[in-house]
Amino acid sequence: MARKRRFSRKNLIIFLSVLGPGIIVSMVDNDAGGIATYSVAGARYGYSILWVMIPTVLLLYMVQEMNARMGIVTGKGLAALIRERFSLRLTALIMLAVMVANFTNAISNFAGVAASAQIFGIPRWVAVPLAGFGVWYIVLKGSYRIVEKIFLLVGGIYICYIISAFIAKPDWGAVSKGLFVPSGQLNVSYIVMVVTVIGTTIAPWMQFYQQASIVDKGLDTESLAFERLDTAVGNTFLFVAAGAIIVCCAAAFFNNPAVGMTRIETAEEAAMALAPIAGVYASTLFAVGLLFASLFAASILPLSSAYMVCEAFGWEMGIDRSFSEAKNFYLAYTIFIVGGALIVLIPGLPLITMMLISQTINGILLPVIVTCMLLIVRDRDIMGNYTNSDVYHAVAWVAVAILYILDIMLVVTTIFPVGR
Amino acid sequence: MEEGELIKISDLIKVKVYDREGLHIGHVQDLALEGDLSTPYLAYLGLHLHWTDRVGEFELVRPVEDIVLLTPWSQVQDIDEDGIRLNCVHPDIPIVTAKGKCLMRRDVLNKQMLDAAGNRIQRVDDVFIEREGKTLKVIGLEMGLGWLASSSSLQNLMEKLKKKFGGWQDKEMIPWEAVLRIDDDAVVIGEGPE
């Protein structure tokens, strides 16, 4: 018994040291764009759209598990593996597209900071530069371990959404039905909403970030089971937080006859509209969640982009390196933060359109990147004995095929927004 | 493909390969040096065969498709834009083990370049080779646009390499003489012993 207890304690210590990449990437996934999408989904379609989160999060787990395996087995990030397995041209094309999508995502997160700060009476020209400098400074001056701990701590703020959902007093029976009984609508706007939810939940930057941070952490194959657990915990948290946002908005707007057809387009609109319906606490918590989620993503997305570009081109990188050692890494990170923050300060910018464009690019890129991942993860030269099993691989290909179909639908409906 | 003309390895990948009788048997998959890097002349051709029923002297139970084998460069009869002609007949193609060989595509192209202290420089964008009669000589590693964004430590290293390997003037290329060794996942660059 004593031996078993020691083993368990050892496992717990290993798990706690491994903990981070999977949880952080899942939490950041609920960024300003994500919160807006889940809010709009709940407000427009109520609990009936909840079931979409189950297959989406399962697919997200599969993708992230492959990332974890590739990172641990090869000791390389996804951008590096794509560069080594495929041509420079394909790598450059993918990098360019991901960088454009990440940059627009970064802008939307700074827009989230600005909007939520305004709810609390802080002008955007104060909040955005402060936020930009804050996240830049933490990463520039902190080691990986310190930065990861700060990120994990800040990530706890997503509990705000769970509390908001309870304050909104949903019908839990209807919530259960919406979650476990798939129901759909045969109209374009519903399909677009489903595609957007999937595209928001499984974003390409996540694959690059998680794998890079696993490599940065130096995890080995003995840690694989714990990293899988880290990913599963993160995905569960994402599922609960995203579900809570949908439930909160469904209860407050869709299922509230007094409200009628409330048009919610952004997360801050949802936060402000909640006050008269669900109370000032729900509204405040929602806005606090949006502020921290935006801050969180505003630091992770540029970091992910900096890792990615340095990996692809082989430049020195990592937040444990000094500025002089990894000049290009810090330069890329700084350009993303400063550029993103400055653009948000330009008056009259169509931020919602930019956010939609970034989600569309993300949606188009996702199956391309997962296809690259599936080719790499099945390559025995690269993965040795850690390739996908036949069944796992077949399921992943089916999922990718569905993603391609959804992508085509997303692109078509973005260009021709019928019924939106 | 003129004598002395600089060619990139990536331009030779997928070039068609014919046997002595003109049969299109496959394409170039890789090009290899001796593993100890003792000579810059390519010593082996990595040949992607469409199919074969014999590997070396061994008859197979049934033909296999898409197999990659390493054959000595001495089997190459001629090279031009249209392809590479071997002086043997399919499937009687002499093969050698890939163990211990330095394969340009597998081990060098797109790999991370490190300096002698282990710092990342950039990735190998391509490998320059030069034709000398029937042989191909590795000249250097292409730096591409990465050079523009390089750090001051890399610029210092490049200046040192330039001084040491006189005659080399192209700053978008690292001379092959500056390659100290090929590790599992990296190409290590340096001035080498004085």
Side-chain angles (χ1 to χ4, degrees), chain A residues 76-408:
Chain A
K76 294 174 188 171
L78 183 56
L81 288 178
I82 289 175
R83 170 73 191 264
E84 290 180 14
R85 176 66 169 73
F86 306 101
S87 68
L88 171 61
R89 285 192 192 111
L90 178 70
T91 310
L93 265 177
I94 290 176
M95 292 306 123
L96 185 68
V98 179
M99 294 295 270
V100 170
N102 283 6
F103 191 66
T104 48
N105 275 345
I107 293 168
S108 72
N109 283 304
F110 278 112
V113 170
S116 48
Q118 276 175 332
I119 293 173
F120 297 112
I122 305 165
R124 66 166 55 196
W125 57 268
V126 173
V128 172
L130 260 179
F133 180 76
V135 293
W136 178 83
Y137 186 82
I138 287 170
V139 169
L140 196 68
K141 296 293 173 190
S143 73
Y144 182 80
R145 296 276 169 188
I146 293 171
V147 171
E148 192 178 74
K149 282 186 177 66
I150 292 172
F151 284 168
L152 281 171
L153 203 67
V154 173
I157 205 73
Y158 289 101
I159 289 168
C160 287
Y161 290 110
I162 300 167
I163 300 170
S164 291
F166 276 97
I167 294 174
K169 295 190 179 72
D171 173 355
W172 291 108
V175 170
S176 303
K177 192 182 166 201
L179 190 60
F180 298 112
V181 183
S183 63
Q185 295 176 22
L186 275 178
N187 62 65
V188 175
S189 57
Y190 182 83
I191 294 167
V192 171
M193 197 72 252
V194 170
V195 173
T196 311
V197 166
I198 295 169
T200 304
T201 311
I202 313 172
W205 70 264
M206 300 168 73
Q207 280 80 67
F208 290 96
Y209 177 79
Q210 187 181 5
Q211 199 168 322
S213 55
I214 283 169
V215 172
D216 215 23
K217 228 172 168 180
L219 302 184
D220 57 17
T221 48
E222 281 184 14
S223 316
L224 182 57
F226 297 104
E227 185 47 42
R228 283 176 174 144
L229 188 58
D230 173 47
T231 304
V233 170
N235 287 172
T236 306
F237 204 89
L238 180 152
F239 175 75
V240 172
I245 296 168
I246 295 174
V247 167
C248 178
C249 289
F253 307 122
F254 184 81
N255 284 2
N256 194 336
V259 177
M261 287 295 291
T262 303
R263 298 294 296 175
I264 301 293
E265 296 288 348
T266 63
E268 60 269 24
E269 280 175 14
M272 287 188 287
L274 270 174
I277 303 161
V280 72
Y281 290 119
S283 170
T284 305
L285 282 171
F286 206 92
V288 167
L290 175 63
L291 175 65
F292 280 91
S294 305
L295 270 174
F296 201 14
S299 60
I300 292 279
L301 270 168
L303 195 58
S304 167
S305 308
Y307 269 119
M308 195 186 69
V309 73
C310 288
E311 264 176 22
F313 295 105
W315 298 326
E316 197 56 87
M317 62 186 167
I319 52 182
D320 285 334
R321 295 275 179 174
S322 68
F323 183 82
S324 60
E325 286 173 328
K327 199 169 68 178
N328 294 329
F329 175 78
Y330 286 107
L331 207 61
Y333 182 67
T334 306
I335 288 171
F336 260 76
I337 288 186
V338 174
L342 281 178
I343 287 176
V344 167
L345 293 176
I346 299 171
L349 214 69
L351 293 173
I352 294 172
T353 310
M354 290 178 77
M355 207 163 73
L356 281 172
I357 291 170
S358 82
Q359 281 173 2
T360 308
I361 299 172
N362 277 340
I364 296 165
L365 264 177
L366 180 66
V368 177
I369 286 163
V370 179
T371 301
C372 291
M373 284 174 58
L374 287 176
L375 293 172
I376 292 167
V377 86
R378 190 68 166 175
D379 190 332
R380 212 166 271 283
D381 280 349
I382 299 169
M383 295 297 292
N385 290 329
Y386 290 88
T387 55
N388 276 355
S389 69
D390 288 345
V391 174
Y392 196 97
H393 207 60
V395 172
W397 274 121
V398 170
V400 171
I402 294 168
L403 285 177
Y404 274 112
I405 294 166
L406 290 173
D407 258 12
I408 293 165

Side-chain angles (χ1 to χ4, degrees), chain A residues 74 76 80 83-84 86-88 311-317 321 324 327-328, chain B residues 109-113 118-125 146 149-152 185:
Chain A
T74 65
K76 294 174 188 171
R83 170 73 191 264
E84 290 180 14
F86 306 101
S87 68
L88 171 61
E311 264 176 22
F313 295 105
W315 298 326
E316 197 56 87
M317 62 186 167
R321 295 275 179 174
S324 60
K327 199 169 68 178
N328 294 329
Chain B
L109 193 63
N110 291 317
K111 293 293 179 196
Q112 179 71 55
M113 275 191 271
N119 299 309
R120 291 181 180 95
I121 298 174
Q122 72 149 83
R123 287 185 179 274
V124 178
D125 286 341
S150 60
S151 64
S152 55
D185 276 316

Side-chain angles (χ1 to χ4, degrees), chain B residues 161-176:
Chain B
L161 293 178
K162 215 170 183 177
K163 272 185 196 163
K164 174 145 185 170
F165 305 103
W168 161 65
Q169 293 298 319
D170 190 347
K171 66 180 180 181
E172 288 186 359
M173 183 173 79
I174 289 182
W176 184 250

